[in-house]
Amino acid sequence: MREVDPNQKLIDFLEDLQKDSALQLQKPSVRCADTGTNLYFQAPPMLEKKTRPNLELPLSALVQNGFSLYITDPNLPGVAIAMQLRFREGETQEQNGE
């Protein structure tokens, strides 16, 4: 399970995954396991272009609290990492109150 800010943009979430040395990801692609929705794919180019607008959306606009993601990466061929997201409580209220 990974705890995240529901307001975090998908692009920032993917960058955080790349910084996580335990995962060893270089160009992650992500799909929602619960809905089967492609959130962002690096390749093929047609799928990258179709999913690119999602990069600027907050995670809460793409998935619900508790949903799981499948993360793939060319650095880990044939492997999909399953990761459940949990939204941090109160983040939305704190940010709206600023």
Side-chain angles (χ1 to χ4, degrees):
M1 182 172 306
R2 189 174 193 106
E3 197 169 297
V4 296
D5 176 349
N7 297 307
Q8 183 179 33
K9 291 181 181 181
L10 179 59
I11 192 167
D12 297 325
F13 174 72
L14 293 175
E15 287 174 3
D16 285 349
L17 292 178
Q18 289 174 285
K19 292 175 189 173
D20 187 334
S21 60
L23 296 175
Q24 300 180 349
L25 303 176
Q26 293 176 350
K27 291 184 170 187
S29 293
V30 62
R31 175 181 176 93
C32 180
D34 297 276
T35 63
T37 305
N38 295 329
L39 301 182
Y40 181 70
F41 270 70
Q42 299 276 351
M46 185 175 73
L47 192 50
E48 192 282 331
K49 183 178 180 179
K50 183 178 178 182
T51 58
R52 189 181 312 145
N54 289 342
L55 290 173
E56 294 302 320
L57 295 176
L59 292 172
S60 61
L62 298 167
V63 297
Q64 293 180 25
N65 191 22
F67 274 18
S68 294
L69 304 178
Y70 289 138
I71 300 157
T72 57
D73 191 277
N75 199 35
L76 303 169
V79 175
I81 299 168
M83 179 182 296
Q84 185 179 21
L85 294 185
R86 186 173 125 198
F87 293 153
R88 290 187 195 118
E89 300 273 337
E91 294 266 345
T92 303
Q93 293 171 353
E94 289 173 20
Q95 289 185 357
N96 289 340
E98 289 180 6

